[in-house]
Amino acid sequence: MGAMDDAKHNTEKLVGKAKEKLGDATDNEKLQAEGKLDQVKADAKKVGDDVKDAFDK
């Protein structure tokens, strides 16, 4: 996985955490769920890239 991909996934995860925390602070369940979903998506993309890299070697 390239450094840019890794940075992109980490940024997506941080944005998801921020959304979740903002949802917690404002008692907005939709924003909380959206933040959690963003984090899961970022993790899944990272795992996918790691698997792809393992097969490229």
Side-chain angles (χ1 to χ4, degrees), residues 18-37:
K19 283 183 183 179
E20 183 180 2
K21 294 294 181 186
L22 184 58
D24 288 341
T26 60
D27 203 27
N28 183 334
E29 292 179 3
K30 182 179 177 187
L31 194 56
Q32 290 170 332
E34 189 177 319
K36 288 178 183 178
L37 180 62

Side-chain angles (χ1 to χ4, degrees), residues 34-46:
E34 189 177 319
K36 288 178 183 178
L37 180 62
D38 288 348
Q39 291 175 65
V40 170
K41 285 181 183 178
D43 287 340
K45 288 178 185 178
K46 184 175 180 345

